[in-house]
Each structure stands twice: as structure tokens, then as C-alpha cells.
Amino acid sequence: GMLIAAFGIGTAASVVPQAWSIRSSGLLKWPGRSAMARVGTTYRRFALFTTPAVLLHTAAARLPILIVGGFALASDVGQLGRTFFAVGAPLSLVAGSVGRVFVVEAAARIRIGAEALSELSRTYLSRLVWAVAGPVAVVVVLGPDLFAWVFGTEWRAAGVYAQWLAPWMGAMACASALTGLFDVTGKQRSDALFSIVHVGGIVGALLIGAYAGEATGWGEVLGAVAGLGIGGCALRLAHLGVLRSAAPGGPTWTRASLLPLFVSVATATIGLSVDDSMRIVVLVFGGLLYLTLAWVSLARKSR
């Protein structure tokens, strides 16, 4: 209770100075009925399509815990919640930070032309994949051990869930950071339509995974998590495809963005196939190769 109260007080304390600065700047001054009508007419697509899309994408990220809570023990829900926080929160921070910068640069590039916007999208996609794919591979290989070492042995199950969910969360970070393309190019309708498919796909993947887990002996919870990881990752990769097809200048897969995926998948596959004592060695060699290739790629970009 005290933690929740302190969080509420801290949030309020951070809002007050911001509200005061906005009030002093004069931004809250009423611009007039005609100006408001003109702005409302110009940006009505944002209210019609962007708001539902954001709500549905948020629901897709939050629904898994609610659905799993319908057939799992409270301890299983707690383990899953720990996974979402420990893996999802850092990736969401990266996606949010990059996304804010990207949408500003994209708005400037689209005035130059679709090719300039496409080059920007390719650059951002490749750097996002470089930033995300390596850590995801580490979580896939060492998830249970990492969670047991950081949080305690009682959270080892959360590490098992992280092994399945990390690829989905990594793909989510890459796709969501570039979602501003829909707004910049005026394709909010496509974003809204995909978000409906996304929510339906997430729910379907969870339920199918739970049924398969019960039938195969894995258990409903692990089956649901596996279904979510596989189905969610496929949906987020499809999200990038929708961005490419619907938004002029959308991101395309290049050698610079596919290379980190190849190295990460190879490292994770080898790491999971060897004994526990050799996994650290595989990750060290794979990590050194990954960092070297990332440095070379960024050096070429800076020339």
C-alpha cells in the first residue's frame, strides 16, 4: 500500500511543474471556435483511427496476463508478470524513445520525398535490430539462470517464460518504434485495421497454445506462453510488412538488418543445443562476433 501511495504522490509531483510550465507558456489560451474547427477538421483521422489503434495495441500487450489468469494459478500469473516487466519494460523504453525521434525525422523526410523516407526507415530498422537481437538471444539461451541469479531461484519459471516471449517482445520493439509511419503518411486506417487483426491473433495464439499444452502434457500455462511467443512474433513481423506495403517509404529488410538476426538465431540455436557448461562459451564467442559486426555496420553508415 505504501509503495502504491508513494508512486501516486511521485507521479503527481512530476505533473505539477509540467502543468505550471504549460500554463505559463500560454499554450492553454483558447484559440477561438473557428481555429478549433479548422484543426479538428484537419486532424480528424487521428481521432478516428489512431486512438482505437493505440488502445488495441495496448490491449494486445496486456491481454495475455488477463487471459492466463483465467485458467492459471496466482503464482503462474505472478511469474508471467515478472517476465513482462523484466524483459518487456527495457524493450518498451527503447521503442518509445526511438519512436519519438523517428516520427519527427520522418515528418521532415516525407517533405523531401518517399525515397528519403524509405532510407530513413531502413536505417532505423537495421539499428533497432542490431540493438535488440543480441540481448534477445542471451535471454533465449540463459533465461532461467538469469532470472534465478537476478531475482532469486523462486523466479526461475519466469526465466523459462522469457525464453519463449523474448523474440516476440524484440519484434514488438522494432515494429512499434516505426509505427509513426502510419501517422506521417496519413495511413491511420491501415494501422487501425491491423490492430484488430493483431488483438484477434494474440488471443487465438494464447488459446491454441493452452489447448496444445494441455494435450501434449506441457501444461496450459507453458503452452499458452509458447503460443503467444510464436504467434506474437509472427504478427509483429507481419506488422513490419504492413508498414512497408501501406506507408510509402516503409521499412525494408536489408543485409544490415538481416545479419544480426542470422547471428542471433545461430548463437541461440547452438547455445540451446550444448551442455550448460558450454553455453557461456558459445554466448561469449557469439557476442564478440555480434559486437564486431555491429561496429563494422555502424562504421560504414557513418562514412
Side-chain angles (χ1 to χ4, degrees):
M2 289 301 296
L3 285 173
I4 295 172
F7 180 80
I9 294 171
T11 302
S14 65
V15 167
V16 169
Q18 295 178 24
W20 181 261
S21 63
I22 292 174
R23 180 178 179 276
S24 339
S25 66
L27 292 174
L28 297 180
K29 183 180 179 181
W30 176 250
R33 184 179 299 177
S34 59
M36 290 297 294
R38 185 169 61 254
V39 171
T41 302
T42 304
Y43 296 103
R44 65 186 182 277
R45 293 171 64 88
F46 284 82
L48 289 174
F49 300 116
T50 302
T51 302
V54 171
L55 290 174
L56 288 170
H57 282 307
T58 303
R62 300 292 182 265
L63 273 177
I65 293 180
L66 296 176
I67 294 175
V68 171
F71 56 80
L73 299 174
S75 58
D76 294 323
V77 178
Q79 296 279 357
L80 186 59
R82 173 70 75 179
T83 303
F84 272 87
F85 174 77
V87 181
L91 292 175
S92 297
L93 181 63
V94 171
S97 302
V98 172
R100 290 185 184 91
V101 178
F102 172 75
V103 74
V104 174
E105 294 191 12
R109 290 291 185 97
I110 197 173
R111 297 186 180 96
I112 302 174
E115 181 56 36
L117 181 60
S118 179
E119 181 184 357
L120 180 72
S121 301
R122 288 194 298 268
T123 300
Y124 266 78
L125 177 61
S126 63
R127 292 186 177 182
L128 278 166
V129 176
W130 275 115
V132 167
V136 165
V138 174
V139 174
V140 169
V141 176
L142 294 180
D145 296 327
L146 282 175
F147 274 71
W149 178 63
V150 175
F151 302 113
T153 55
E154 64 272 19
W155 294 103
R156 193 175 185 85
V160 176
Y161 298 157
Q163 288 180 300
W164 287 101
L165 297 180
W168 167 50
M169 293 179 180
M172 184 191 305
C174 294
S176 61
L178 302 176
T179 304
L181 274 173
F182 286 122
D183 297 330
V184 171
T185 58
K187 299 293 184 179
Q188 293 92 350
R189 186 191 298 270
S190 300
D191 190 20
L193 291 175
F194 176 79
S195 63
I196 296 173
V197 176
H198 185 208
V199 171
I202 288 295
V203 174
L206 269 170
L207 297 178
I208 293 172
Y211 176 80
E214 185 180 16
T216 58
W218 276 26
E220 286 182 300
V221 178
L222 185 56
V225 170
L228 175 62
I230 297 171
C233 187
L235 284 166
R236 282 300 183 173
L237 292 176
H239 190 184
L240 289 170
V242 173
L243 275 169
R244 173 59 187 168
S245 60
T252 54
W253 292 101
T254 61
R255 185 172 61 181
S257 54
L258 289 174
L259 184 59
L261 288 179
F262 175 78
V263 176
S264 298
V265 170
T267 301
T269 303
I270 297 173
L272 291 172
S273 62
V274 299
D275 296 335
D276 293 347
S277 58
M278 289 296 297
R279 288 183 178 177
I280 297 295
V281 177
V282 171
L283 283 177
V284 168
F285 279 100
L288 291 174
L289 175 62
Y290 189 88
L291 292 174
T292 302
L293 293 174
W295 181 81
V296 171
S297 176
L298 291 176
R300 287 179 177 175
K301 282 287 183 182
S302 62
R303 290 177 183 175

